[in-house]
Amino acid sequence: MSNNGELLESNQLNRSMKSRHLFMLSLGGVIGTGLFLNAGYTINQAGAGGALLGYLFGGLILYMVMVCLGELAVHMPVTGSFQTYATRYISPSAGFSLGWMYFVGSAATAGVEFTAAGILMQHWFPDIPIWIWCAVFMVLLFALNALTTRGFAEAEFWFAGIKVLAVVLFIIIGFAAIFGLIPLEDRGTPLFTNLAPTGLFPAGIAIVFITMMNVIFSYQGSELVGIAAGETENPQKNIPKAIRTILIRIIVFYIASIIVLSAIFPSSELGLLASPFVTLMEIAGVPYAAGIMNFVILTAILSVGNSCLYASTRLLWSMANEGMAPKVFGRLTKRKVPLMALLFTMTFSLLSLLTSVMEADAVFVLLMSIAGIAVTISWMGIAMSQLMFRRRYLQAGGKLEDLKYKVKFYPFIPIFCIGFCAFILVFLAFDPTQRIGLAYGIGFFIACMLFYKLRLEKKNKTIVGVEVKSVED
């Protein structure tokens, strides 16, 4: 199709992201609601031991996903990444389904962040409805995403830096409080009494696997490394570097924070609407703690929402260029911003306005479940794509030593990743609160595959057959 070829040549994104931008974008993408609000909720549901086990297990899955994505992204750094990989190495229908699945999940996550931001604003303005704040933040982030990619990346770099510094300070103050170096106003030196073996799993072990969707949601955003590959300078060098550093810091931040929260607060004190990070800083006597920490958390949450809008928009742009979404979403402005794709993505964030007719915590959990199921299926797709890519690469005569970044212990890593993700999804079927979300998620995925097979397969054979060259070429 000549029109598609012209679109691919004239509408290309700029490689304007530097190494520091890529690193902070991916790190900042996972330090937000998942940590500041969701961590306390997970501890409350699964207990201290359950939360620690869940985040460690989730970290293992995250590692397997990221190394699989790394091999693919270094070999073929394109915007849209795993949707394109699934199209080439699994099947076009799988790529279409995974692309739309991740798009919906990432766009829903933006709705989660807007909802959480509205909840936090109740600290300063308790009389203003949450949905109004959701609308205000939607307009703000839309404006930021409508700037150039470089401007977006630079802003996100500093936003992420603020919240990383805040988490580090929180962990230091938390451990000082645990050992009595900083007195807590409403309790004695806690040490690790709340982590006694008898209280680690108050709801049993099985609840750990049910709350894994909270964990997966918290870690969502790491895959931005792959989505941003098409706008990254020197992807062969910067992508592996980002993957190595991100994995270590994410797991350390989450595990250290879970230990601090679990040691200081009994699991029954933790919930959803009140951030335990703010509460700890208050009882530790930090001046203006509530206001400062709420502002930091608000910045962090909006930063994640910003990253989700970026990821969803770029993925939709990529699918439009491959004939898997309406062509209008493949257009770029003079500043190389896919504005039409951004506008469509913002419509999904309108779900956050459900807080005008539903309880905010109910909307939060609903959107979080949708996003968690979507990203779990997407992670399975990344692992499957790498499994198929390596097989085809070797069959075509490729040499392992020519791969600039490769998965160790192949094929066990991608196989285990697929198996673990599938196990988590199966376990959700036994949880009445998430069973409906699981059914809708799998149903949506199957519906996408059928739609592609019946309506788009013949029409798009030429489009999806466009050769996407690897970075070596």
Side-chain angles (χ1 to χ4, degrees):
M1 288 187 177
S2 60
N3 290 341
N4 186 66
E6 292 172 5
L7 181 64
L8 288 173
E9 288 184 17
S10 62
N11 282 355
Q12 286 300 307
L13 300 170
N14 291 328
R15 288 192 181 275
S16 55
M17 281 197 192
K18 298 184 180 296
S19 176
R20 64 186 180 89
H21 293 142
L22 182 65
F23 167 66
M24 293 303 282
L25 175 66
S26 301
L27 181 58
V30 295
I31 300 179
T33 302
L35 178 62
F36 291 118
L37 292 181
N38 199 40
Y41 178 73
T42 304
I43 296 171
N44 176 267
Q45 296 293 302
L52 284 171
L53 186 60
Y55 280 100
L56 284 171
F57 184 54
L60 173 63
I61 298 175
L62 175 63
Y63 166 77
M64 293 186 287
V65 170
M66 292 298 287
V67 294
C68 288
L69 181 59
E71 179 172 306
L72 292 164
V74 170
H75 181 74
M76 190 170 67
V78 294
T79 299
S81 68
F82 50 83
Q83 176 270 328
T84 302
Y85 307 146
T87 298
R88 288 194 66 181
Y89 301 116
I90 304 177
S91 71
S93 60
F96 176 82
S97 302
L98 283 171
W100 279 106
M101 191 82 189
Y102 186 84
F103 171 81
V104 170
S106 186
T109 300
V112 173
E113 306 305 324
F114 293 136
T115 303
I119 291 172
L120 282 177
M121 291 302 292
Q122 295 286 289
H123 172 76
W124 293 294
F125 305 98
D127 297 327
I128 297 179
I130 290 174
W131 71 269
I132 291 180
W133 290 116
C134 293
V136 169
F137 293 131
M138 285 172 60
V139 173
L140 175 66
L141 292 194
F142 171 81
L144 186 57
N145 272 267
L147 297 173
T148 61
T149 298
R150 182 64 178 271
F152 158 80
E154 195 66 38
E156 191 59 30
F157 174 83
W158 293 106
F159 283 150
I162 291 173
K163 58 187 175 184
V164 168
L165 177 61
V167 173
V168 171
L169 290 176
F170 170 82
I171 292 172
I172 293 173
I173 292 173
F175 276 106
I178 289 172
F179 292 106
L181 301 178
I182 295 178
L184 300 176
E185 65 180 32
D186 65 343
R187 65 197 72 201
T189 301
L191 295 176
F192 294 99
T193 54
N194 288 330
L195 295 174
T198 54
L200 289 180
F201 302 95
I205 292 290
I207 192 69
V208 174
F209 300 102
I210 293 176
T211 57
M212 278 303 297
M213 202 47 56
N214 301 340
V215 175
I216 298 297
F217 168 80
S218 298
Y219 285 154
Q220 179 186 5
S222 307
E223 61 282 342
L224 278 172
V225 168
I227 292 176
E231 296 178 90
T232 302
E233 294 180 352
N234 195 0
Q236 284 187 349
K237 176 183 177 181
N238 291 334
I239 291 175
K241 180 181 178 182
I243 289 175
R244 285 193 301 269
T245 53
I246 289 164
L247 281 169
I248 295 172
R249 285 165 174 77
I250 287 174
I251 295 173
V252 168
F253 285 160
Y254 269 89
I255 297 304
S257 297
I258 292 294
I259 291 174
V260 167
L261 293 176
S262 299
I264 294 176
F265 301 104
S267 59
S268 58
E269 288 188 20
L270 300 173
L272 177 63
L273 294 183
S275 173
F277 287 75
V278 175
T279 305
L280 174 58
M281 301 296 266
E282 283 183 318
I283 64 176
V286 177
Y288 308 105
I292 294 173
M293 201 63 194
N294 260 301
F295 175 76
V296 170
I297 295 174
L298 178 65
T299 302
I301 286 172
L302 293 178
S303 172
V304 174
N306 204 25
S307 298
C308 288
L309 289 178
Y310 168 85
S312 302
T313 301
R314 267 51 180 187
L315 186 60
L316 186 58
W317 174 86
S318 177
M319 288 192 293
N321 282 333
E322 294 185 5
M324 296 187 174
K327 290 182 180 180
V328 67
F329 298 136
R331 297 175 184 171
L332 296 178
T333 65
K334 292 181 180 180
R335 295 182 176 183
K336 298 296 184 181
V337 174
L339 185 61
M340 296 306 295
L342 175 60
L343 285 168
F344 183 71
T345 301
M346 290 297 297
T347 62
F348 281 81
S349 300
L350 293 174
L351 291 171
S352 64
L353 301 184
L354 287 173
T355 51
S356 63
V357 295
M358 295 173 59
E359 291 292 333
D361 55 346
V363 174
F364 181 93
V365 173
L366 171 65
L367 294 178
M368 184 176 65
S369 178
I370 293 172
I373 291 169
V375 79
T376 303
I377 294 175
S378 299
W379 284 5
M380 293 174 69
I382 291 172
M384 179 63 74
S385 297
Q386 191 276 329
L387 188 68
M388 301 298 291
F389 158 72
R390 178 76 73 87
R391 183 181 302 171
R392 293 189 185 183
Y393 177 79
L394 295 177
Q395 288 175 349
K399 298 180 180 179
L400 283 180
E401 55 266 27
D402 291 337
L403 291 175
K404 305 301 181 182
Y405 184 89
K406 47 185 172 288
V407 175
K408 297 180 180 179
F409 308 114
Y410 177 89
F412 300 107
I413 292 293
I415 289 175
F416 285 156
C417 182
I418 295 169
F420 286 149
C421 288
F423 176 75
I424 292 171
L425 291 176
V426 168
F427 221 95
L428 291 182
F430 297 95
D431 179 15
T433 62
Q434 301 192 70
R435 191 179 299 150
I436 296 177
L438 177 64
Y440 279 124
I442 294 177
F444 178 76
F445 185 83
I446 294 173
C448 285
M449 293 197 75
L450 291 175
F451 178 83
Y452 186 87
K453 287 285 187 182
L454 297 175
R455 298 292 300 273
L456 298 178
E457 188 167 47
K458 290 183 179 180
K459 179 180 176 182
N460 283 356
K461 278 185 177 179
T462 305
I463 296 175
V464 298
V466 173
E467 185 68 20
V468 184
K469 294 183 179 180
S470 70
V471 72
E472 289 90 352
D473 297 334

